[in-house]
Amino acid sequence: MPDLYDVVIVGGGVVGSATAYFLATRPDFNGRIAVVERDSAYEFASTPRSCGGVRQQFTTPENIRISQFTASFLAEIGDLLEVGGDRPDVSFRKNGYLFLGTEAMLPAMQQINEIQRRENAPVALLDRNGLAERFPWLTLDGLACGSFGTEEEGWIDPFALLQAFRRKAKSLGVDYIDDEVVGFDRTANKVAGVRLASGGRLGSGAVVNAAGYRGGKVAAMVGADLPVRPRKRSVFVVDIRQPLADYPLLIDHTGVYWRPEGQFFICGRSPDEDNDPEVEDDDFDVDHDWFESEIWPIMAERDPRFESLKVVNSWAGQYDMNLFDHNAVIGPHPEIANFFFANGFSGHGLQQSPAVGRAVSELIAAGRFETLDLSVFHFERIAAGKPFLELAVV
Ligand SMILES: Cc1cc2nc3c(=O)[nH]c(=O)nc-3n(C[C@H](O)[C@H](O)[C@H](O)COP(=O)(O)OP(=O)(O)OC[C@H]3O[C@@H](n4cnc5c(N)ncnc54)[C@H](O)[C@@H]3O)c2cc1C
């Protein structure tokens, strides 16, 4: 007989663990929850390899509202995810994001700023004088403006958030199972069970796909064509021999980003879509030439203190890229009603995990969104060919 669960979550990264936590805290849900995780040390998961960025500066109202929930959740995280007197601390450094723009980018950035202000996001659009005043070390060549988040933006310790969700979920009775989901038992319009690599089976009332960059593969196991694929990103840790307090997470108009990390800085750059090939799931080779040719020169140009530096570490991770519109896919499969997506975060899933976990728990327990209406993220938009574009993808 298979073990019976009301909900099986495939993947125990930050999204799967947040979903487990929110479900387990609901007073109206008393079901059994399992999280199946193939890599319980999270060696290859995206969450611990992420840059930890948390921002309000998105370009769609829904993503801004998601960020606002993240900010309120992080403000109370010590109380909410406390276990046995141990209050988690994700070390939120609120130094802000600074997006730099050229003259050509100015009209779009003004429009985006209007959307952000309508949503009460604390974002200032600075002109060259404003940039020079606020960031006197910045080389302004080629710049017309900068969009700076003045509150609730910066970065957190991503692994600390994942572990806090996981520990709390376990304390609330969620079972974490070390195994890999390799298939599903289906009826015409339902998933009835989950097949494991070990040969075991789990009976399940509902299934959540929280498999990160493997989300497309897990969706294919129920016959769903989810355009989520791994896209490799290299991150470099550099030492410039001077810690700079109060430095923001800076995103140059070219897409090169950098921010402080302890006494060092971390930096990276996403390639253009045409130069961003599909990679194997297990390709974590760091592209060192990318740093030399495409990252370092830009940093040194913007801030001459980066002209002399030493790379002290580096790693690569996979973005869970939604090739369709670079936005999350959240909610039930239209034909397989008990199969839920929580996928395709395209490089911003860490910061979206609290709102996504809460939203999926609402769909499972109440059958509808109760707090934030996230129906724009439904899977149906893909089949309908109607993208819901997020422009601020770093
Ligand atoms: C270099 C880099 C920088 C990033 N920077 C940021 C940032 O600054 N801010 C931000 O918000 N986001 C950032 N991201 C994106 C963010 O890391 C991801 O969107 C987020 O971690 C996704 O969480 P997840 O739980 O869905 O995926 P993961 O953390 O990858 O977890 C998915 C889990 O599912 C498991 N799994 C997969 N398939 C199966 C299966 N068949 N059976 C069992 N288990 C399975 C995996 O082992 C994995 O542990 C970054 C990502 C990278 C790579």
Side-chain angles (χ1 to χ4, degrees):
M1 281 290 287
D3 238 358
L4 293 179
Y5 284 94
D6 296 280
V7 179
V8 174
I9 299 171
V10 187
V14 74
V15 171
S17 294
T19 305
Y21 157 74
F22 278 100
L23 255 179
T25 48
R26 287 186 68 98
D28 60 348
F29 182 85
N30 299 312
R32 289 188 78 203
I33 306 166
V35 177
V36 184
E37 173 52 60
R38 68 193 290 280
D39 169 23
S40 292
Y42 299 104
E43 193 181 349
F44 302 109
S46 297
T47 304
R49 289 172 184 255
S50 100
C51 294
V54 172
R55 59 182 153 113
Q56 305 286 313
Q57 295 188 66
F58 284 93
T59 63
T60 58
E62 289 77 8
N63 277 334
I64 297 168
R65 290 171 203 157
I66 283 176
S67 291
Q68 287 165 339
F69 178 64
T70 303
S72 64
F73 186 83
L74 291 179
E76 290 183 82
I77 192 168
D79 291 335
L80 293 170
L81 300 187
E82 174 271 335
V83 178
D86 184 7
R87 295 163 55 81
D89 176 6
V90 295
S91 312
F92 193 0
R93 280 202 53 193
K94 300 183 185 178
N95 287 20
Y97 270 61
L98 173 62
F99 284 90
L100 299 176
T102 61
E103 196 65 43
M105 293 161 76
L106 184 58
M109 288 180 71
Q110 282 167 334
Q111 267 180 20
I112 290 167
N113 187 258
E114 269 170 39
I115 297 170
Q116 290 165 344
R117 279 189 295 132
R118 265 204 304 276
E119 292 297 323
N120 298 317
V123 183
L125 190 59
L126 306 173
D127 60 13
R128 283 171 64 90
N129 289 338
L131 280 174
E133 207 172 295
R134 179 72 182 74
F135 305 103
W137 41 263
L138 192 68
T139 305
L140 297 178
D141 294 359
L143 298 181
C145 62
S147 178
F148 182 56
T150 54
E151 289 166 44
E152 305 304 335
E153 280 200 345
W155 50 93
I156 61 169
D157 175 345
F159 203 36
L161 181 62
L162 161 53
Q163 291 295 354
F165 274 130
R166 180 180 157 117
R167 251 198 316 271
K168 185 70 182 186
K170 280 180 145 182
S171 77
L172 295 168
V174 173
D175 288 339
Y176 275 73
I177 298 172
D178 292 338
D179 215 321
E180 178 170 0
V181 172
V182 292
F184 297 101
D185 298 321
R186 284 266 317 263
T187 62
N189 56 3
K190 284 186 96 174
V191 175
V194 177
R195 278 182 265 140
L196 303 175
S198 61
R201 274 183 145 80
L202 305 174
S204 186
V207 169
V208 180
N209 178 358
Y213 59 87
R214 286 194 172 83
K217 286 192 174 162
V218 170
M221 294 177 197
V222 289
D225 188 8
L226 177 73
V228 172
R229 300 287 181 275
R231 288 292 185 267
K232 192 168 70 171
R233 297 291 179 265
S234 299
V235 180
F236 303 88
V237 186
V238 301
D239 186 0
I240 60 166
R241 302 286 153 92
Q242 45 182 327
L244 306 174
D246 201 26
Y247 207 95
L249 195 160
L250 192 152
I251 296 145
D252 185 64
H253 65 85
T254 53
V256 175
Y257 68 83
W258 63 101
R259 71 150 171 90
E261 172 70 31
Q263 59 175 326
F264 303 124
F265 274 74
I266 61 173
C267 57
R269 178 181 192 171
S270 290
D272 298 336
E273 223 166 320
D274 304 342
N275 190 22
D276 194 12
E278 180 141 10
V279 290
E280 294 298 325
D281 289 349
D282 58 355
D283 178 353
F284 292 100
D285 291 340
V286 173
D287 188 348
H288 291 280
D289 292 344
W290 186 243
F291 174 78
E292 296 283 336
S293 65
E294 307 297 328
I295 297 176
W296 187 11
I298 307 277
M299 293 166 79
E301 208 178 289
R302 271 299 150 237
D303 183 343
R305 291 172 295 191
F306 286 82
E307 274 169 9
S308 163
L309 56 74
K310 189 171 168 209
V311 177
V312 292
N313 199 359
S314 58
W315 70 85
Q318 306 287 2
Y319 268 19
D320 42 359
M321 193 63 98
N322 175 359
L323 303 180
F324 181 65
D325 59 9
H326 304 163
N327 239 330
V329 180
I330 301 166
H333 186 285
E335 278 122 44
I336 312 163
N338 67 340
F339 185 86
F340 294 84
F341 298 101
N343 301 107
F345 301 100
S346 307
H348 43 266
L350 173 78
Q351 61 196 291
Q352 298 201 319
S353 59
V356 173
R358 184 180 65 169
V360 175
S361 76
E362 291 169 358
L363 291 172
I364 292 174
R368 63 187 174 86
F369 293 118
E370 295 175 311
T371 51
L372 280 181
D373 180 358
L374 300 184
S375 44
V376 289
F377 294 100
H378 273 173
F379 178 79
E380 281 92 326
R381 76 183 191 274
I382 298 170
K386 291 189 177 150
F388 176 55
L389 282 173
E390 173 54 54
L391 302 179
V393 175
V394 178

